[in-house]
Amino acid sequence: MASFIVLNAFRRKKQGISTMVSLYSSSTIKTSLLSSFLPLRSPPPISAASRGVSMSTNRDSHGSSSQVAEPFFRSVLGQMETVYLNRNPTPKSVLELVRSVDDDEQLCYDHLAFRTFGIGGYGIESLASFFLDYGYTQMDELRFPAKKLRALWFAPPHASSAVPGGSGVNGPLPRVFISELLVEQMSTETQDVIRKYTETSPNGRKYAALSSALGSLPWEKPLSSEFEQLAKESEYAAWTLANGYALNHVTISVHRLKSHLNKIKKLNQFLEEKGFKLNSEGGVLKVSPDGGLLQSSTVADSISFKFSDGVTKSIPCSYIEFAERLVLPQFQNVPESEIKECHRRDGFEVGNADKIFESTNQEQLSRRTG
C-alpha cells in the first residue's frame, strides 16, 4: 500500500516521469521519503592525481556540511537495507550468524555499494548527490578498463552520531562505493538497449535514492531477450538493467567484530564450514598490494524475475562482502585499546574490487549448485 501511495504521488508531482516498476512489495516506507529527496546535483570535479588510483591516505576531517537531517538520512539507508535483506537470504543469514557468535550485538558496515549506468545522468552522480547532501566527501576514482567501469568512493562525515549500540546503518556510517558502466564504450547493440530504458525515463535519475529505498526500477521492466543480450557482453550491464539502484552489497567491518571472527581468514573458514559459497575469483581472499586491505565476499543470491514479455527467469541479485583494514605502519606502536579507524588502511583497491565484481557473474553463481 505504501509503495502505491509513493508511486502515485510521483505521478501527480511531475508529469512525464516514468512509472517506477516495483520488483516486489517493500516494507512500510515513511511518508517523508516523498518530499525530502533533493534534486540531482553533480559531484565536485575529480583531480587528475586521483584518476585510476586508489588511495590509502587517512582523513582527519571532511569539512562538508549536511543539508539532510540525520534521522531522515538513516531512515532512507534503513529502507535500502530492508529491501536488500528481504531479497537476499544469504546476507541475512550471514549477518544473523555472525551476530550470534560475536560478543557484541553491534555489527558495523565498512561500506555500501551500488551500480549505475554512466549515461544520460544515470551514472554515479545520480546517486552520489544524496550522500553528498548529507555531508559525505568524494574521495578517489578507480578505473577498470577490461570491464569498462569506473567508480568513486565517498567518506562519511565525522559529525554523525551513531545510535548507541546501533548495528548496520544505525551504527557508524559506512563508506559508499558507487560504480558506473561506461556505456559509450560498449557495442552499439548494448548501447541501444540501455538507451531505450534510460531515455524513455529521463527523470528517473533524479530519484535514484528513492528507487533504491523502494526496491523499484526507475525505468520499465526489460525484455528477457535484452537481458540475455547484455549479459553476453557485460554481466554488470545485465545486472544493472534488472536490479537498478538496489544495494549491490553491504560489507561487514571484520576488524570491528569482538569475537574470534575479527580476522578475515577465520571468518572465511567459519562461513565455508557453515556451507556458504565464497567468491573464488583470484582466490577467496583478496589482498591489496600494500597488504593493508583484505576482502572477500559470498556468491550472489539469485531471484525469480518476471520480464516484461512474461518470461520468468532466475537472475543474480546481491551478496555480502567482508573487509579487514589493518593498522598502518606508522601507527603500529599505538596501544590496541586506542586504535581507531583513522589508524587503519583507508580507501579501496582496484585489484581487489575487480575480483569482487565477479560475485554476481554466472561462473560464480554456478558454484552454488556445483
Side-chain angles (χ1 to χ4, degrees):
M1 183 60 182
S3 296
F4 177 81
I5 294 172
V6 171
L7 299 183
N8 279 280
F10 271 127
R11 296 189 184 101
R12 292 194 297 269
K13 181 177 179 182
K14 189 173 183 68
Q15 293 182 345
I17 189 170
S18 63
T19 301
M20 300 185 78
V21 185
S22 178
L23 297 179
Y24 63 94
S25 295
S26 62
S27 61
T28 301
I29 308 295
K30 290 181 172 61
T31 55
S32 60
L33 285 172
L34 294 174
S35 59
S36 302
F37 277 82
L38 300 177
L40 178 69
R41 178 163 65 81
S42 297
I46 305 162
S47 65
S50 67
R51 290 189 179 278
V53 180
S54 62
M55 306 292 286
S56 60
T57 54
N58 291 311
R59 53 189 192 278
D60 294 320
S61 67
H62 303 139
S64 297
S65 59
S66 173
Q67 300 178 44
V68 180
E70 182 165 350
F72 170 76
F73 180 77
R74 287 187 183 272
S75 177
V76 175
L77 294 188
Q79 293 299 334
M80 293 177 177
E81 181 186 45
T82 296
V83 166
Y84 165 79
L85 295 176
N86 284 344
R87 294 177 68 192
N88 299 280
T90 295
K92 186 175 183 180
S93 296
V94 167
L95 289 169
E96 291 174 349
L97 184 61
V98 172
R99 282 195 181 100
S100 71
V101 174
D102 209 45
D103 297 331
D104 192 341
E105 293 254 336
Q106 186 178 42
L107 190 151
C108 302
Y109 287 159
D110 179 87
H111 67 271
L112 309 178
F114 303 87
R115 296 180 176 184
T116 68
F117 284 136
I119 193 170
Y122 267 100
I124 294 172
E125 70 274 15
S126 64
L127 193 55
S129 60
F130 176 68
F131 294 96
L132 291 170
D133 282 338
Y134 179 65
Y136 272 69
T137 301
Q138 178 182 306
M139 301 301 284
D140 310 308
E141 181 188 53
L142 298 87
R143 286 189 173 268
F144 308 86
K147 288 182 169 64
K148 299 177 182 177
L149 304 174
R150 68 184 282 267
L152 291 173
W153 75 272
F154 302 82
H158 286 308
S160 294
S161 57
V163 177
S167 289
V169 297
N170 290 315
L173 285 175
R175 301 166 184 82
V176 171
F177 183 96
I178 309 175
S179 58
E180 67 179 14
L181 180 72
L182 301 174
V183 178
E184 293 183 350
Q185 295 184 17
M186 307 303 291
S187 68
T188 300
E189 293 75 18
T190 290
Q191 290 188 46
D192 287 345
V193 171
I194 295 172
R195 285 195 171 96
K196 171 184 173 181
Y197 291 95
T198 58
E199 291 181 358
T200 55
S201 304
N203 290 322
R205 62 190 175 88
K206 298 179 181 179
Y207 306 99
L210 181 59
S211 172
S212 181
L214 286 175
S216 302
L217 291 173
W219 47 72
E220 299 293 336
K221 276 189 176 182
L223 296 169
S224 59
S225 58
E226 293 169 329
F227 176 86
E228 296 297 339
Q229 178 184 328
L230 262 59
K232 291 178 182 178
E233 183 174 356
S234 167
E235 292 193 61
Y236 178 107
W239 189 97
T240 306
L241 184 66
N243 290 280
Y245 289 111
L247 255 176
N248 178 257
H249 64 270
V250 305
T251 302
I252 292 178
S253 182
V254 177
H255 56 270
R256 293 184 182 184
L257 296 175
K258 305 300 182 184
S259 70
H260 67 286
L261 299 180
N262 64 358
K263 301 297 182 184
I264 197 167
K265 290 183 179 180
K266 292 183 178 179
L267 178 60
N268 289 342
Q269 180 181 352
F270 173 75
L271 292 174
E272 288 185 317
E273 289 175 352
K274 295 295 182 179
F276 292 99
K277 296 289 186 181
L278 301 184
N279 176 350
S280 60
E281 183 66 25
V284 168
L285 184 63
K286 285 74 171 166
V287 183
S288 61
D290 61 10
L293 177 60
L294 294 74
Q295 295 168 278
S296 62
S297 64
T298 64
V299 173
D301 282 319
S302 296
I303 60 170
S304 181
F305 186 91
K306 186 174 183 179
F307 291 89
S308 61
D309 52 11
V311 175
T312 299
K313 290 185 177 181
S314 177
I315 65 169
C317 197
S318 303
Y319 56 96
I320 188 166
E321 185 187 321
F322 318 99
E324 181 181 357
R325 297 178 182 274
L326 302 186
V327 176
L328 292 168
Q330 61 267 38
F331 300 120
Q332 290 296 329
N333 293 327
V334 176
E336 185 175 352
S337 61
E338 297 178 17
I339 293 292
K340 299 179 180 179
E341 278 296 289
C342 63
H343 297 130
R344 296 181 180 275
R345 207 277 196 188
D346 205 353
F348 291 83
E349 187 62 45
V350 169
N352 288 18
D354 185 71
K355 301 300 186 293
I356 295 291
F357 276 127
E358 304 283 328
S359 298
T360 58
N361 284 12
Q362 192 56 50
E363 182 178 347
Q364 290 296 319
L365 264 65
S366 64
R367 295 180 58 243
R368 294 183 67 90
T369 56

